[in-house]
Amino acid sequence: MDFNQDFFTLFQLPRRFALDRAALDAAYRRIQGEVHPDRFAASPEAERRLALQWATRANEAHQTLRQPLARARYLLALAGVDTAEDTNTAMPAEFLMLQMEWREALEDASTSAAVDALEDEVMQARKAGLARCEALIDHQGDYPAAAQQVRALMFIARFADDIDRRREQLGQ
């Protein structure tokens, strides 16, 4: 194994956003079976250290690839595209309007039913955003548009946390 290989190559998976989760998990278990530090407990220090590094790398790769947003960011980084989430806040006007509507709806939500309805809407938007990411990355190769979609999905993820906090405020 080459320590400099990308996460997809490590797990012998195609470099795509659409990912077979079962294949990812099976590849992770296979790699962990090969490099788990317990297998090297009686080995020299250098081999134990290398096994620990490989196990750590496999864990990092698995965590990154199993989460769609992290996987999208990783694929964009491999393509040399920075999502610029800290510096680029430009978003389409319709998405900005949607954000404002969601914020107002969250502030106005005073019942669990209202919070649940908003959460359903946000999760549908997340699902649609992930589908757009797949199309942009895997089918169109439009990485700048995919980076913008990732920024939108990051807002949606943060907003989902705000929904959870609102639910706690309501004592649910």
Side-chain angles (χ1 to χ4, degrees):
M1 289 188 286
D2 176 6
F3 203 75
N4 293 318
Q5 63 193 346
D6 70 68
F7 295 165
F8 293 94
T9 303
L10 174 66
F11 291 135
Q12 299 175 346
L13 295 171
R15 193 185 281 190
R16 300 176 43 84
F17 181 79
L19 189 66
D20 180 341
R21 184 69 182 273
L24 170 64
D25 291 343
Y28 170 70
R29 285 190 301 276
R30 179 182 50 78
I31 295 285
Q32 280 294 6
E34 294 173 14
V35 301
H36 196 278
D38 289 349
R39 292 193 65 204
F40 296 87
S43 299
E45 174 66 25
E47 286 182 39
R48 288 195 314 265
R49 189 171 38 254
L50 186 59
L52 180 60
Q53 289 172 338
W54 272 110
T56 301
R57 179 132 173 101
N59 285 334
E60 177 188 6
H62 186 247
Q63 287 302 312
T64 298
L65 297 184
R66 69 188 297 267
Q67 300 170 25
L69 189 52
R71 183 170 59 248
R73 290 169 76 194
Y74 184 71
L75 280 163
L76 291 171
L78 289 175
V81 175
D82 182 2
T83 57
E85 53 234 33
D86 295 331
T87 57
N88 186 347
T89 58
M91 295 299 288
E94 69 182 39
F95 185 73
L96 295 174
M97 292 300 295
L98 181 61
Q99 287 182 38
M100 289 178 18
E101 290 172 17
W102 283 349
R103 290 267 170 230
E104 289 174 11
L106 186 59
E107 288 176 21
D108 294 343
S110 58
T111 65
S112 62
V115 173
D116 290 346
L118 181 58
E119 183 177 45
D120 288 346
E121 182 180 338
V122 170
M123 290 303 105
Q124 285 299 324
R126 178 184 183 273
K127 184 177 179 180
L130 291 172
R132 279 192 297 278
C133 256
E134 179 181 341
L136 291 166
I137 293 171
D138 290 352
H139 306 294
Q140 298 169 21
D142 188 346
Y143 300 122
Q148 183 177 57
Q149 188 62 53
V150 164
R151 289 191 302 275
L153 284 164
M154 290 177 65
F155 167 81
I156 291 171
R158 287 189 301 271
F159 190 74
D161 292 341
D162 292 343
I163 289 173
D164 290 340
R165 282 190 284 283
R166 181 67 175 149
R167 187 172 273 120
E168 288 172 11
Q169 289 172 347
L170 294 174
Q172 302 173 4

